[in-house]
Amino acid sequence: QVQLQESGPGLVRPSGTLSLTCAVSGVSISNHFWWSWVRQPPGKGLEWIGEVFHGGNTDYNPSLKSRVTISVDKSNNQFSLRLTSLTAADTAVYYCARVQWARNFDYWGQGNLVIVSS
Amino acid sequence: QSALTQPASVSGSPGQSITISCTGTSNDVGGYNYVSWYQQHAGEAPKLTIYDVNNRPSGVSNRFSGSKSGNTASLTISGLQAEDEADYYCSSYTSSGAKVFGTGTKVTVL
């Protein structure tokens, strides 16, 4: 059974850097899937952040591209998100998800709430 | 890329059918049969409900169906049940390879 689990801080300082990790179980991250990050500000809709292929290829939301890095760690079967220059607008629940056939988010983590505040 | 446009809310009585629209452009919804729909109950992660316009993942009720015409995709829930009360989001593949979500629709069962 495929499972994804986010981990990372719940509180980060403005202008700081957010680092989140998504541990994948039940499937090898080296299989032919893309692995994605999606966020949801409190009370608002979903926003695609970007994704990574097992070979390291990445694709990012143009509105976040200058601040985002997504990478894959095959040895630990996990992938990570790094978001820099944080503001209050980055406060959100951050989800990791598997992307089926490069277009459908078929498995999701439970989400990690990140609050940007001093 | 701009979010796909969905109605903010749709409601219906138990047993009725409702339809949620998702409007994009020829660079996303209209250009590919790669529209998916997600159901999100309060406090939970989204759940894939429809993929590639009109396909249901294993375990999803056949009361959920999808369609597309031009730049607008639709999700229909027939035989509305109390458990269907949730937020629903569409998503589409885009010409740049990026993904875009809809603005979200809150479904209320009266």
Side-chain angles (χ1 to χ4, degrees), chain B residues 17-35:
Chain B
S17 293
I18 61 169
T19 297
I20 303 167
S21 61
C22 170
T23 300
T25 70
S26 58
N27 291 322
D28 38 65
V29 175
Y32 309 90
N33 288 325
Y34 295 159
V35 176

Side-chain angles (χ1 to χ4, degrees), chain A residues 7 10-11 26 30 40 42-43 49-50 53 60 68 72-74 81 86 93-94 104 107 110 112:
Chain A
S7 61
L11 177 67
S30 296
Q40 184 172 36
I49 298 171
F53 196 56
Y60 298 131
V68 173
V72 65
D73 178 357
K74 296 180 188 179
L81 168 70
L86 296 171
V93 175
Y94 285 75
N104 307 309
Y107 288 94
Q110 86 288 349
N112 190 122

Side-chain angles (χ1 to χ4, degrees), chain A residues 40 51 59 95 102-103 105 109, chain B residues 34 38 40 45 52 89 97 99:
Chain A
Q40 184 172 36
E51 57 197 30
D59 219 345
Y95 294 100
R103 57 193 186 258
F105 304 91
Chain B
Y34 295 159
Y38 302 86
Q40 185 180 34
D52 293 352
Y89 294 90
K99 315 300 186 291

Side-chain angles (χ1 to χ4, degrees), chain A residues 54-68:
Chain A
H54 69 84
N57 291 358
T58 54
D59 219 345
Y60 298 131
N61 186 324
S63 68
L64 297 170
K65 187 173 184 176
S66 64
R67 300 194 291 131
V68 173

Side-chain angles (χ1 to χ4, degrees), chain A residues 38 40 44-46 48 51 59 62 95 101-106 108-109, chain B residues 1 34 36 38 40 44-46 48 51-52 89 91 93 97-99 101:
Chain A
V38 176
Q40 184 172 36
K44 296 188 178 181
L46 302 172
W48 179 74
E51 57 197 30
D59 219 345
Y95 294 100
W101 303 325
R103 57 193 186 258
N104 307 309
F105 304 91
D106 62 344
W108 296 69
Chain B
Q1 67 206 31
Y34 295 159
S36 50
Y38 302 86
Q40 185 180 34
E44 297 183 5
L48 180 64
Y51 68 91
D52 293 352
Y89 294 90
S91 177
Y93 180 88
K99 315 300 186 291
F101 284 100

